[in-house]
Amino acid sequence: MFWYNGCLQEGTTISLSVADPGIVFGATVFTTLRVYEHRLDHPLTAWRSHLNRLQSSITAFSWKTPNWQAIEDGATYLAQQYPVIRITIFPDGRELITGRSLPQNMHTLQQDGVIAWLVQEHSFCRSLAGHKTGNYLPCWLALNHARRNGAHEAILTEPSTGNWLESSTGNLFAWGEGQWWTPPLTDDEYIHDEYIHKVPFSQSHPSLTSNESPTERPTQSFMRELILPGIERSQLISWLRCHNKEIVQDAWTPERISSFEFVAYCNSVQQLVPIHTVMNGRTFLTFHAQHPCLEDLTGFLHS
């Protein structure tokens, strides 16, 4: 079952026009959330942050405002059936909400870590890096390329510098030189990593109105977006800072990466997955999958 355009639907297919921009151009935005204890209001579900992500992109693209009440109704229903929900929004405001199970081998991956393949070709560069759009072809191609080479995940890079940016399905974290590291959102330090939580969300749902003062996302042209502002990334950064742990947001140059002892990727579904080996052609980088630094995140990862 799934939810589409205000109605619960049985089956696995919907009917779309062949001229629908979502098909012709990949013109959709989406967010994927893990529902904890079947509750949208569970702190780890981060429901409001996922809504803010959608609204931020819809506003930036000047798309029609969707029916937020219908989105909440559909998500609430599917949250009773599935632990993972994906909400897709079309330019005309239609919503498509689908559910799925957690990956069967997720706990093994979290425990043992995975192999990642480093991709550096321009064809794997993600467009509109700061938004989660339906045009995810570069990430999908990179992931399939990695799996054909015996890896589980792909790491995307900036071809002109070789700097690591993000994985094909999440954001990157590392431990080295006695502190945590994550790549910056942009190539300008002014953007704050928590902006996604500060976009006011009110519109058509009074119960979700923010009490925070409106804070718009900076839009100066010199701010080039490098990676997606992941919601799990933001939660992990907040957790570390609340526990007085240093985390540096700076470029992952080849020189800096050589000092890392632990590397992982994170997303809202799988939380944090260690990477024990990175394949770069015939070169291999190895890291500790069960590094002592994980003790910094014990309360978060097991809550």
Side-chain angles (χ1 to χ4, degrees):
M1 70 179 65
F2 61 94
W3 180 279
Y4 175 63
N5 201 21
C7 298
L8 184 67
Q9 312 248 355
E10 296 294 335
T12 58
T13 61
I14 60 174
S15 176
L16 295 175
S17 167
V18 294
D20 192 299
I23 296 176
V24 178
F25 303 108
T28 61
V29 294
F30 74 96
T31 192
T32 305
L33 55 145
R34 178 174 171 181
V35 183
Y36 290 81
E37 299 179 2
H38 304 288
R39 292 170 45 203
L40 295 184
D41 63 351
H42 192 288
L44 291 179
T45 301
W47 171 243
R48 177 188 162 121
S49 296
H50 286 279
L51 292 179
N52 284 342
R53 161 185 279 170
L54 292 171
Q55 186 194 31
S56 177
S57 295
I58 289 167
T59 301
F61 300 157
S62 299
W63 288 1
K64 182 179 178 180
T65 299
N67 184 333
W68 296 112
Q69 182 61 63
I71 290 171
E72 182 176 14
D73 290 345
T76 298
Y77 186 88
L78 291 179
Q80 306 309 307
Q81 317 297 322
Y82 303 101
V84 179
I85 291 175
R86 171 175 164 145
I87 304 171
T88 302
I89 307 296
F90 292 83
D92 61 3
R94 284 171 294 145
E95 78 281 356
L96 170 63
I97 308 176
T98 57
R100 67 175 190 259
S101 301
L102 290 168
Q104 290 185 347
N105 60 344
M106 184 180 70
H107 295 299
T108 300
L109 299 181
Q110 293 170 331
Q111 179 69 29
D112 299 338
V114 300
I115 299 172
W117 178 271
L118 195 68
V119 293
Q120 303 186 61
E121 295 86 348
H122 283 276
S123 58
F124 297 121
C125 293
R126 194 158 64 83
S127 63
L128 296 174
H131 298 274
K132 205 169 179 69
T133 72
N135 184 6
Y136 244 55
L137 182 59
C139 294
W140 185 80
L141 290 174
L143 183 60
N144 280 274
H145 184 71
R147 290 180 175 174
R148 285 196 300 269
N149 285 278
H152 175 83
E153 182 64 42
I155 293 176
L156 310 182
T157 63
E158 191 173 19
S160 61
T161 63
N163 294 348
W164 294 12
L165 298 177
E166 56 191 335
S167 82
S168 57
T169 64
N171 293 116
L172 293 172
F173 275 78
W175 171 271
E177 301 179 348
Q179 57 192 359
W180 287 93
W181 300 81
T182 192
L185 295 180
T186 73
D187 56 6
D188 185 278
E189 296 179 353
Y190 179 68
I191 279 189
H192 192 276
D193 58 88
E194 302 300 328
Y195 87 85
I196 194 169
H197 297 287
K198 296 185 178 180
V199 178
F201 185 83
S202 54
Q203 268 69 17
S204 58
H205 202 317
S207 66
L208 295 175
T209 300
S210 171
N211 292 321
E212 300 172 6
S213 58
T215 303
E216 295 298 332
R217 185 183 187 184
T219 56
Q220 288 89 331
S221 60
F222 60 86
M223 293 181 182
R224 185 168 59 97
E225 294 172 319
L226 298 175
I227 66 171
L228 181 74
I231 291 171
E232 192 75 9
R233 173 186 185 274
S234 182
Q235 289 183 312
L236 285 169
I237 289 173
S238 295
W239 173 271
L240 290 168
R241 287 176 175 168
C242 286
H243 291 79
N244 299 313
K245 302 298 181 180
E246 181 71 21
I247 181 162
V248 181
Q249 299 178 65
D250 204 353
W252 282 27
T253 64
E255 294 76 22
R256 176 160 292 137
I257 292 163
S258 66
S259 69
F260 292 160
E261 303 168 28
F262 171 85
V263 173
Y265 71 93
C266 71
N267 58 47
S268 293
V269 174
Q270 299 184 82
Q271 292 188 324
L272 193 73
V273 178
I275 298 172
H276 62 71
T277 303
V278 175
M279 303 167 63
N280 182 12
R282 297 184 178 180
T283 303
F284 296 83
L285 296 175
T286 58
F287 304 96
H288 299 290
Q290 290 300 317
H291 193 277
C293 69
L294 288 170
E295 294 178 4
D296 292 345
L297 302 172
T298 299
F300 179 85
L301 298 177
H302 300 287
S303 58

